[in-house]
């Protein structure tokens, strides 16, 4: 199993990998920022846009909402931008 992605590590880059979300290795409990990028990390063999959307959807019950999804054709990557809902 890969390493835990801690809130501190995620806060430095403002990015979490989809694989960490799927495998329960992402700790966002003390994540300090309002915006978060979810990127694919080449796992599961899914289409990269589908992968980041599935991972982003996992964050919806925890107070996050999807802002945008971008696909980068040069590297075959995708990123979902999430925003923490204001309470």
């Amino acid at each position: 199993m890969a390493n835990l992605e801690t809130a501190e590590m995620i806060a430095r880059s403002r990015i979490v990998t989809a694989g960490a979300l799927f495998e329960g290795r992402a700790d966002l409990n003390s994540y300090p920022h309002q915006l978060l990028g979810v990127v694919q990390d080449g796992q599961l063999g899914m289409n990269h846009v589908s992968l980041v959307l599935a991972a982003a959807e996992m964050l919806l019950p925890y107070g996050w909402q999807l802002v945008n999804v971008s696909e980068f054709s040069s590297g075959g990557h995708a990123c979902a931008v999430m925003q923490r809902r204001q309470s």
Side-chain angles (χ1 to χ4, degrees), residues 2-80:
N3 293 333
L4 176 72
E5 293 184 21
T6 66
E8 183 179 280
M9 291 167 54
I10 297 167
R12 274 192 298 249
S13 65
R14 296 178 186 241
I15 292 173
V16 65
T17 63
L21 290 172
F22 290 136
E23 296 171 5
R25 296 183 289 106
D27 176 12
L28 293 170
N29 289 325
S30 60
Y31 181 74
H33 307 295
Q34 294 295 311
L35 297 173
L36 174 68
V38 178
V39 298
Q40 102 281 359
D41 51 355
Q43 295 191 7
L44 303 177
M46 293 174 64
N47 172 287
H48 47 278
V49 173
S50 297
L51 185 71
V52 296
L53 286 174
E57 192 168 8
M58 292 179 68
L59 295 175
L60 297 178
Y62 300 98
W64 293 90
Q65 62 188 10
L66 181 64
V67 175
N68 194 12
V69 176
S70 296
E71 181 177 19
F72 305 99
S73 59
S74 62
H77 298 287
C79 179

